[in-house]
Amino acid sequence: MSDDDAQRFVVQIHDARRMHFDFRLEVDGVLRSWAVPRGPSDNPRDKRLAVPTDDHPLEYRTFEGVIPDHEYGSGTVIVWDQGTYRPLGHAPDGSPLPFAESLERGHATFWLHGAKLHGEFALTRFRVGDEQDNPGPEAWLLIKANDRLAVHDRPGTPDPRHARSARSGRTLHQVALAEEQGDGRD
């Protein structure tokens, strides 16, 4: 796969009603999206809850700014990480499995080539609640593989209030302040 056809990913920090990270993977012409409350981690011991959200258009991959009050998702957004990814899933016969099919089956592995996140990760679906009587909403776990790029000696996720954008180098506060002053730059 050349860089021109590489599938892209983005991780945005979203200071909305509740601070969270939005993990988005380009799949079949849209950004498949999950809200990750504690953010993705490059430490394999950290199993991160990832709650599916609405698909977003591909153009949203570069969005950084402030979503106005009274609009869906209002709050400040920065692009914490961005890059490309490579699906790693295989069918039982060893042939490559389309990424959308891996997601449909409930387990997708992929290799991230980001500004901050690198290496193998997996998304695994599960349901919250009592499976028999009340299956609850769908949820996923986002987990870093224990590969050579994993970290073990420190927390795997930054403090979102001090994290800097991979696009602009700005913090959430700096993006919000620039928007207030009419210098959103995007």
Side-chain angles (χ1 to χ4, degrees), residues 8 11 29 42 44 48 54 58-59 76 78 83 87 103 110 113 143 157 161 174 176 178-179 183:
R8 304 204 182 276
V11 180
D42 51 6
R48 300 299 197 206
D54 293 336
L58 295 177
E59 299 77 37
T76 306
I78 63 170
L103 289 171
F110 46 95
H113 301 276
I143 304 169
T157 306
R161 298 217 179 270
Q174 290 169 328
E179 193 86 15
D183 181 26

Side-chain angles (χ1 to χ4, degrees), residues 91-109:
D93 68 0
S95 64
L97 192 62
F99 196 69
E101 190 173 331
S102 291
L103 289 171
E104 187 63 34
R105 291 179 178 199
H107 181 76
T109 56

Side-chain angles (χ1 to χ4, degrees), residues 10-174:
V10 64
V11 180
Q12 293 163 310
I13 299 177
H14 190 175
D15 189 7
R17 188 170 31 105
R18 290 196 175 124
M19 176 85 70
H20 64 277
F21 290 70
D22 287 310
F23 185 78
R24 306 184 196 284
L25 298 167
E26 181 181 337
V27 181
D28 294 340
V30 297
L31 292 172
R32 293 283 303 266
S33 300
W34 293 262
V36 182
R38 295 180 58 208
S41 175
D42 51 6
N43 188 326
R45 289 185 300 238
D46 297 335
K47 292 170 178 51
R48 300 299 197 206
L49 175 66
V51 179
T53 62
D54 293 336
D55 293 344
H56 283 61
L58 295 177
E59 299 77 37
Y60 201 77
R61 186 174 45 82
T62 59
F63 177 75
E64 187 165 279
V66 177
I67 301 169
D69 288 342
H70 309 296
E71 284 191 26
Y72 175 74
S74 65
T76 306
V77 177
I78 63 170
V79 173
W80 177 71
D81 196 13
Q82 61 185 355
T84 60
Y85 77 95
R86 180 172 43 94
L88 299 175
H90 289 86
D93 68 0
S95 64
L97 192 62
F99 196 69
E101 190 173 331
S102 291
L103 289 171
E104 187 63 34
R105 291 179 178 199
H107 181 76
T109 56
F110 46 95
W111 191 275
L112 294 180
H113 301 276
K116 299 174 183 176
L117 295 173
H118 308 279
E120 185 178 338
F121 287 79
L123 276 164
T124 302
R125 183 176 49 222
F126 71 98
R127 296 222 177 255
V128 252
D130 176 357
E131 288 292 325
Q132 205 165 27
D133 298 328
N134 177 19
E138 179 181 291
W140 295 70
L141 288 178
L142 176 62
I143 304 169
K144 172 75 175 102
N146 193 14
D147 59 23
R148 63 183 172 76
L149 300 171
V151 302
H152 298 281
D153 58 345
R154 62 179 167 79
T157 306
D159 174 352
R161 298 217 179 270
H162 296 99
R164 294 198 171 268
S165 165
R167 286 192 69 225
S168 67
R170 298 181 296 171
T171 65
L172 286 163
H173 177 73
Q174 290 169 328

